[in-house]
Amino acid sequence: MSTVETFLIAMTIILALPWLIWRLGRTDYWAPLVVVQIIAGIALGPGILGRSFPDYYAFVFNPEVVTALNGIAWWAVMLFVFIAGMELDLSQAWRHRRETVVTAGLALVTPLLFGAAAAWMLLALGLQGWTGENGARWQFVAGVGMACAVTALPILVLLMDKMAILRTPLGQRILRYASLDDIAIWGVLAIVLMDWHRMGRQVVFLLAFALACVLLRRLMRRVPENDRWYIAPIWLALCALGADWSGLHFMVGAFLAGVVMDADWFDQAQMDRLRQHLLLVLMPVFFLSTGLRTEWSVGGVAVFVVAGMLLLAAVAGKLAGVHLAGRLLGWRRGEASLVGWLLQTKALIMIIFANVLLDKGLISSAMFTALLLMAVASTMLTIPATMPRLARTPELLNRG
């Protein structure tokens, strides 16, 4: 078969398998389609399909096909992170700054400390195979800690919309907390990725980016909306290129490109359709390319043990932080648990975060696999843990 034909076989599997499982299995309550796509990506990777049917795996996911898939995956995830940056609404966070800063801060810092403690424990025990070849100890600890603290804003929006609470006062509060955490996540990532050998390039990029932002914002205010849609992907590509050239990683550049743009420059309905189409058509390729990077060579049991430890750190840390915030802010009974479980959603942003850590050699493929399993499990817990609490305390939906 030609490379094109094999590529199309791979695309058929990538698009059809998760949809069939989701549709026929009616998994929406515990595993929305995006979660099924991530799990399918893992199943199609070398750890499961590659071991079970090595000849079929080598035929379909040969180097030429994987190269083509990776190109699609890079662009898909850059667009996704770009849109996530654009949709951050910091004005609402500023209006409710005390509550937002206290809640978002404790919801981020506490699981970060729990996760960092788990990573430090792995190092202290002298366990091999979890750190990356290029990472210092502090980068490994900080990176794993932040991975445990992540809340995935785009997936949170999808889940809250599915539960019909997105437009409620409670839903808008959750978005404020997640938005502030989103900025902190990328800020910490930039610090962790700081390449002291390429500091000159990073300074040049940041200065050039600041100047370009001023020019871009002037341009975007003057051109009609139709032209803005053409300018946006060009701006995205340039920022991602500059960030990657400087050593910060192209996804940091993609987020920065989006966060300096105003969402009200674009029609919100069109922006929602773009995100939905991106999740439908392109992001499944990213999930598959992520699954192709999973590694079980440390031992399947060890990977699951570490994933369980990280899941415990992430869930317990997030709930502890939000409960502390609830005490400080005088929340009602049950409110902290509801908020804490909604903020457990990790999925895409954590996977993107872990991909960057793996790309830069700060974590090993085995740790990447453990983080991936933790992100999937954490996201799958969100709806089952939230819905019964909403049923018991529906009045909390109107708590703005």
Side-chain angles (χ1 to χ4, degrees), residues 49-67:
L49 180 65
R51 283 193 175 186
S52 304
F53 305 98
D55 293 337
Y56 289 105
Y57 177 82
F59 167 69
V60 176
F61 299 111
N62 61 62
E64 292 82 6
V65 170
V66 170
T67 299

Side-chain angles (χ1 to χ4, degrees), residues 138-335:
W138 75 268
Q139 290 175 307
F140 174 77
V141 170
V144 173
M146 182 53 79
C148 292
V150 166
T151 294
L153 179 61
I155 300 304
L156 180 61
V157 170
L158 293 176
L159 293 186
M160 288 201 299
D161 188 45
K162 187 178 296 293
M163 291 186 284
I165 64 172
L166 179 61
R167 305 302 175 191
T168 66
L170 175 67
Q172 294 304 297
R173 280 174 57 198
I174 301 294
L175 289 184
R176 292 200 303 269
Y177 308 149
S179 296
L180 209 62
D181 281 352
D182 236 22
I183 295 176
I185 288 161
W186 292 100
V188 169
L189 181 62
I191 294 171
V192 170
L193 295 180
M194 195 66 71
D195 186 342
W196 304 107
H197 299 291
R198 304 172 81 176
M199 181 63 72
R201 285 191 178 192
Q202 291 170 350
V203 170
V204 169
F205 165 70
L206 293 174
L207 291 175
F209 176 76
L211 176 61
C213 286
V214 175
L215 298 177
L216 174 83
R217 293 183 65 81
R218 288 181 180 177
L219 174 64
M220 294 294 267
R221 291 191 184 101
R222 293 180 180 180
V223 299
E225 182 183 343
N226 190 51
D227 286 331
R228 293 172 186 166
W229 286 105
Y230 290 97
I231 294 171
I234 299 171
W235 168 246
L236 165 61
L238 288 173
C239 290
L241 172 62
D244 210 64
W245 168 82
S246 72
L248 286 177
H249 201 276
F250 63 83
M251 279 193 262
V252 176
F255 179 76
L256 290 174
V259 82
V260 299
M261 300 185 75
D262 294 346
D264 58 12
W265 289 346
F266 303 91
D267 180 73
Q268 186 59 52
Q270 285 184 297
M271 186 65 68
D272 290 342
R273 284 195 295 272
L274 175 60
R275 189 197 319 106
Q276 291 167 358
H277 293 157
L278 182 61
L279 284 166
L280 176 68
V281 178
L282 292 180
M283 286 304 287
V285 181
F286 170 72
F287 301 140
L288 184 277
S289 70
T290 298
L292 295 178
R293 308 177 77 175
T294 55
E295 178 61 60
W296 311 85
S297 59
V298 173
V301 174
V303 169
F304 279 101
V305 169
V306 172
M309 181 174 67
L310 295 175
L311 178 64
L312 180 61
V315 172
K318 187 75 74 175
L319 290 174
V322 175
H323 273 85
L324 180 56
R327 282 180 172 272
L328 294 174
L329 297 169
W331 287 355
R332 296 179 184 176
R333 183 181 178 85
E335 194 169 353

